[in-house]
Amino acid sequence: MHNFKKLNIWIDGMEIVSETYKLTKTFPDSEKFGLVSQMNRCAVSIPSNIAEGTSKSSDKHFNKYLEDSLGSAFELETQLIIAYREKYLAEEKYNILIKKINQLQKMISGFKSRLSKSLDS
C-alpha cells in the first residue's frame, strides 16, 4: 500500500484539477453541461484513480487504476485541444497546461513501468 498524498503523480494531478477548474470557469455558459463538465470530471479522475489504486491489496490492481488515471489524462489532453481550437483559451495558457498534462502522463507511465517490473521480479 502507498500513501497517495506523498506520490508526486497525485500531487501534480491535484494541481491539474485546480488549473482545470480555474480555466473552465472562463468558458461560455453554453459549455457548462458539455466541455466544462467533461473536462472537470476527467481532471478529477486523474488523482482520484491514483488514490483509489493505493487502497488495493496488490500492485497488480493498483496498476489497473494507474492505467485508468493515464487514460483520463489523455482524455483531458484531447478536451484541452478542443477548447483551444474553439478559442476558449489563449495559446500561452494552452501551452502551459498541455506541457503539465504531458509531463504527468510521462510520470504516470514511468510509475506504472516501475510497478510492473516489481511484479515481474
Side-chain angles (χ1 to χ4, degrees):
M1 302 245 301
H2 302 266
N3 181 347
F4 67 88
K5 293 177 195 167
K6 292 183 179 181
L7 295 175
N8 287 331
I9 56 174
W10 182 84
I11 293 166
D12 290 356
M14 291 296 287
E15 184 179 323
I16 287 172
V17 171
S18 295
E19 292 194 31
T20 301
Y21 269 78
K22 281 182 212 160
L23 173 66
T24 58
K25 284 179 184 171
T26 69
F27 285 13
D29 287 342
S30 62
E31 288 292 354
K32 186 175 184 179
F33 300 108
L35 201 53
V36 168
S37 175
Q38 191 71 17
M39 287 178 73
N40 288 342
R41 282 184 286 137
C42 278
V44 167
S45 181
I46 297 168
S48 296
N49 275 302
I50 293 166
E52 187 174 359
T54 62
S55 74
K56 300 305 170 188
S57 59
S58 72
D59 283 348
K60 181 179 179 183
H61 288 107
F62 184 22
N63 212 17
K64 165 69 173 97
Y65 283 88
L66 290 172
E67 195 171 289
D68 292 344
S69 178
L70 186 58
S72 293
F74 279 101
E75 191 175 350
L76 180 60
E77 179 182 8
T78 298
Q79 292 158 0
L80 189 59
I81 292 166
I82 293 166
Y84 176 68
R85 287 182 176 181
E86 293 299 314
K87 306 207 181 331
Y88 295 159
L89 71 156
E91 185 174 5
E92 182 181 351
K93 184 65 175 172
Y94 167 78
N95 289 332
I96 290 168
L97 279 171
I98 283 290
K99 185 177 179 182
K100 287 182 180 186
I101 292 168
N102 291 158
Q103 181 62 32
L104 182 57
Q105 290 164 343
K106 289 176 189 169
M107 290 170 64
I108 295 170
S109 292
F111 194 96
K112 276 179 54 40
S113 291
R114 288 188 298 279
L115 200 61
S116 292
K117 285 179 186 169
S118 74
L119 289 170
D120 294 339
S121 334

